[in-house]
Amino acid sequence: MSSSDKVTFGSNVRRFREALGMTQENLADASELDRSYIGGVERGERNPTLTAILRLAMALEIPPAYLFEGAGQSISVPDSRMQREMFEGIREDAPISKGTEGLIAKDTESGLLIQFRYDQYDAEYLLSGAKKSEFNEVLSVLKKGLASRNSRADAVAKAFLAATRLWPDANPSDLWTFLINRAYCDRSNHPSVNARLNLEQSWKRTSGWALERVLVEHYETFLKTKGLTIKIGSKVEKESLFSDIDDSRIVPDKADVLISFVSDGIEQLLGVVHVKASIAERRTDDVPMSQALINAGYLSVFWTMDAKSFPSNQPVNRGEFGETDHNQVSEKRRDFEEHGHFSACFSYNKNTVPTVSSNNAQARIFVCNFTDPDDDFARFLISAHCRPVN
C-alpha cells in the first residue's frame, strides 16, 4: 500500500472499531493480533498482510472490502476465489465450523418448549405463556440483523430486547442463556457468508458487546430525563472523562459503560458500569480498577445476567451467588457484601438471591428485569447523582 492508502485503511479500521464500541485491546483480542500492531495500523504506520486484513475484518464483523473504502486506485479488492475468501474471512478449504444445530420450539399447553443440544444432553426449556409465533418474531429480528451490514452485536441486542418485550415475566437471564445464545449458535440463523464462522467463539466476543448495547438502549432515554447519560463511549470520550483521575490502576479503555452528567456546561464522570454475562467472567480483572474508582469518589457498578447452568435434560440457570445463609455464603457474594469490591451489583437473573435487608453490606446485590427502566439500577444512579460522590 502507498502511504496515503495505509492512512485510509487505518482510519477505516479505527472508524469501524469505534462504531462497535471496541477498544484497541478488544480488537487485538478478537483478531489475535498484538495491540501495538493495531495501533500502528490505525496510525497508518503498518502495512497489513492479507492474513491481518482478514483477521481484522472478521473481528470487526464486516467484509474486508469495507476497510478499503476511500483508498486510491492502487488498492483493489481481488475477485474470484480470493474475493470469496476475503468476504468469508477464511480459506476456502477450511472446514465448516459446527454450531448448536437444530434449535427447536414447540407450542404446548403450558407455553413454548425450546429444545436444544447441551453437551451430551437433549435439553428442554419451557418458556411459560409463550407462543411459537412470538418465538419466530424474535428469530426474525436476529436473522435480519445478522444478514445486515450492522454488527452481530447489534443483532443480538435487538433480538434480546425484542424477547424481553414479548415475554416481560420471563427470567431475562434464561432468555439470554437458553434462547438468544442457542439461537445465535444455530447455524441456520446465519447468512451463508458465515458458513465457516466458529459460532461458539464468535458468541463469546459478540455477546459481551451486545450486553453493553442492551444496557444502554434500555436505560438511556429514562436516565436522560434525570440528567444522566449512559453510553459506551469512544476512546476520546473515555480519556476526557478520566483525565482528572491520577491512578495507574484506572485504564479508560477497560471501562465498559460510562455514566456521566453535565455541570456548568462540562461533562463529568459519575461512574463506570462493568458489564458481564456471568459473575465468573473476568470479574477479578476489574477489581483493581473498581477499587481505584471508588477510592477516587466514583461509582463502580457490576451489571450481570448472572448466567450459570449445568448440562442436563432440564437445565436450571441458578446463577453463581448461592444462598445468603452465613455458613453457605459463596466467595462471589462476599466480594460484594463483605469486601465491597464494587459499589453495587445488579443481576438480571430471577434466581439470584438479593442481599437481605438486615445485612449491613458493604455493597448490595439487587435483582432487576426489563419491564421498566425506572428500577433499582436507575434509582441507584439517580441517588448518587443527587448526592455527588466526587
Side-chain angles (χ1 to χ4, degrees):
M1 294 185 194
S2 67
S3 296
S4 61
D5 288 333
K6 285 190 290 185
V7 170
T8 300
F9 181 88
S11 177
N12 285 335
V13 170
R14 183 176 65 253
R15 176 166 60 90
F16 282 110
R17 172 178 64 76
E18 291 179 348
L20 285 173
M22 297 174 69
T23 64
Q24 287 185 350
E25 188 176 65
N26 294 151
L27 182 55
D29 287 342
S31 62
E32 298 182 354
L33 298 170
D34 189 82
R35 194 207 65 76
S36 61
Y37 181 83
I38 300 291
V41 168
E42 292 191 354
R43 292 190 298 273
E45 299 170 356
R46 303 297 295 263
N47 193 12
T49 63
L50 177 60
T51 297
I53 292 170
L54 297 179
R55 288 184 176 182
L56 288 169
M58 283 287 287
L60 293 169
E61 306 176 355
I62 56 172
Y66 292 2
L67 295 176
F68 294 93
E69 290 180 346
Q73 294 300 315
S74 60
I75 297 296
S76 60
V77 179
D79 55 13
S80 66
R81 181 185 176 209
M82 183 65 73
Q83 186 175 23
R84 291 198 305 275
E85 290 174 3
M86 294 181 74
F87 269 74
E88 292 177 2
I90 197 164
R91 299 189 321 276
E92 190 175 73
D93 59 350
I96 292 179
S97 175
K98 294 182 179 180
T100 307
E101 307 290 351
L103 182 70
I104 299 173
K106 298 179 178 179
D107 281 323
T108 71
E109 291 183 0
S110 301
L112 184 71
L113 186 65
I114 300 174
Q115 300 173 315
F116 51 90
R117 190 70 178 170
Y118 196 170
D119 286 353
Q120 72 271 33
Y121 297 93
D122 290 322
E124 295 181 341
Y125 170 69
L126 180 65
L127 187 55
S128 299
K131 300 177 181 178
K132 188 173 181 178
S133 58
E134 297 169 333
F135 172 82
N136 289 336
E137 288 183 41
V138 174
L139 279 192
S140 178
V141 172
L142 180 65
K143 287 182 177 181
K144 287 179 180 178
L146 293 174
S148 73
R149 186 170 174 173
N150 296 326
S151 73
R152 297 186 190 109
D154 282 335
V156 169
K158 290 183 184 302
F160 174 73
L161 288 171
T164 62
R165 287 191 291 268
L166 282 169
W167 306 304
D169 295 327
N171 183 353
S173 189
D174 284 353
L175 295 178
W176 181 258
T177 304
F178 299 135
L179 176 58
I180 302 301
N181 178 358
R182 300 295 165 172
Y184 183 89
C185 292
D186 184 336
R187 188 158 303 284
S188 65
N189 294 325
H190 287 258
S192 59
V193 294
N194 291 346
R196 292 177 173 82
L197 184 66
N198 185 322
L199 296 181
E200 297 288 351
Q201 187 61 38
S202 176
W203 171 257
K204 292 178 181 178
R205 296 197 310 263
T206 302
S207 61
W209 303 326
L211 271 183
E212 294 173 9
R213 287 160 170 73
V214 166
L215 168 60
V216 171
E217 185 167 335
H218 182 64
Y219 288 101
E220 63 178 341
T221 300
F222 176 73
L223 288 177
K224 187 176 182 179
T225 66
K226 305 300 180 180
L228 292 175
T229 296
I230 183 170
K231 61 184 176 181
I232 295 172
S234 67
K235 180 181 178 65
V236 172
E237 288 174 319
K238 290 178 180 179
E239 290 178 347
S240 174
L241 288 171
F242 284 92
S243 61
D244 293 334
I245 309 176
D246 185 19
D247 192 315
S248 61
R249 294 174 295 174
I250 296 179
V251 182
D253 275 356
K254 291 187 176 181
D256 294 333
V257 172
L258 306 173
I259 308 295
S260 66
F261 61 95
V262 175
S263 178
D264 296 328
I266 300 174
E267 185 178 17
Q268 297 187 26
L269 182 69
L270 179 65
V272 168
V273 185
H274 308 269
V275 181
K276 299 289 184 290
S278 67
I279 305 301
E281 186 186 346
R282 300 177 69 179
R283 177 186 87 266
T284 55
D285 291 350
D286 291 331
V287 170
M289 179 171 170
S290 178
Q291 290 290 276
L293 284 166
I294 293 172
N295 292 342
Y298 297 92
L299 292 181
S300 180
V301 177
F302 198 89
W303 194 91
T304 180
M305 287 290 154
D306 190 17
K308 181 68 173 180
S309 62
F310 295 97
S312 70
N313 293 117
Q314 295 181 318
V316 177
N317 187 17
R318 297 189 184 280
E320 298 183 83
F321 279 120
E323 299 299 323
T324 58
D325 183 275
H326 181 72
N327 296 320
Q328 302 178 27
V329 174
S330 69
E331 189 58 35
K332 295 181 178 70
R333 181 175 289 274
R334 294 180 192 276
D335 276 353
F336 296 93
E337 295 179 341
E338 294 185 19
H339 306 312
H341 287 163
F342 298 85
S343 302
C345 175
F346 294 88
S347 169
Y348 290 71
N349 184 343
K350 285 187 175 182
N351 294 321
T352 298
V353 180
T355 302
V356 296
S357 58
S358 59
N359 187 341
N360 188 24
Q362 292 293 314
R364 308 188 74 81
I365 299 168
F366 300 86
V367 178
C368 298
N369 55 45
F370 292 91
T371 58
D372 186 349
D374 183 5
D375 61 6
D376 284 336
F377 174 76
R379 287 191 286 271
F380 183 85
L381 300 181
I382 295 165
S383 176
H385 179 220
C386 295
R387 186 182 64 255
V389 295
N390 53 336

